[in-house]
């Protein structure tokens, strides 16, 4: 799930929520919600996370497909 993916990526990069906020432009409070509450973030939010985590477009597409089950993503 997205919550676990965000936590894992943050841990992999040794980022605090504040550091991820600075890198992504997503508020600390919203990042905490994304990590702790099932949510469907906007494409814009996913894009900001992708940039902050250094994800490729393919990885983002694979993630969207995994989360939605949509093979046309």
């Amino acid at each position: 799930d997205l919550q676990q993916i965000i936590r894992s990526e943050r841990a992999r990069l040794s980022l605090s929520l504040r550091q991820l906020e600075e890198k992504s432009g997503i508020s600390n409070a919203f990042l905490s919600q994304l990590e702790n509450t099932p949510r469907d973030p906007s494409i814009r939010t996913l894009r900001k996370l992708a940039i902050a985590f250094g994800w490729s477009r393919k990885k983002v597409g694979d993630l969207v497909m995994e989360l939605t089950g949509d093979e046309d993503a």
Side-chain angles (χ1 to χ4, degrees):
D1 67 353
L2 184 61
Q3 297 151 275
Q4 183 59 41
I5 292 167
I6 294 171
R7 276 192 295 270
S8 294
E9 286 295 293
R10 229 175 26 88
R12 180 181 70 81
L13 297 170
S14 300
L15 294 173
S16 68
L17 281 173
R18 290 255 182 245
Q19 290 169 320
L20 183 55
E21 175 183 37
E22 290 172 13
K23 285 184 70 108
S24 68
I26 301 169
S27 75
N28 182 13
F30 189 60
L31 288 167
S32 181
Q33 289 177 358
L34 288 174
E35 283 192 0
N36 296 298
T37 309
R39 299 180 97 41
D40 291 323
S42 68
I43 295 297
R44 183 177 183 191
T45 297
L46 285 176
R47 184 172 186 271
K48 287 180 176 184
L49 286 171
I51 292 168
F53 289 143
W55 292 344
S56 67
R57 286 181 188 232
K58 180 177 180 349
K59 181 169 176 99
V60 174
D62 291 347
L63 176 62
V64 169
M65 191 168 65
E66 177 185 330
L67 293 172
T68 64
D70 184 357
E71 294 188 18
D72 293 327

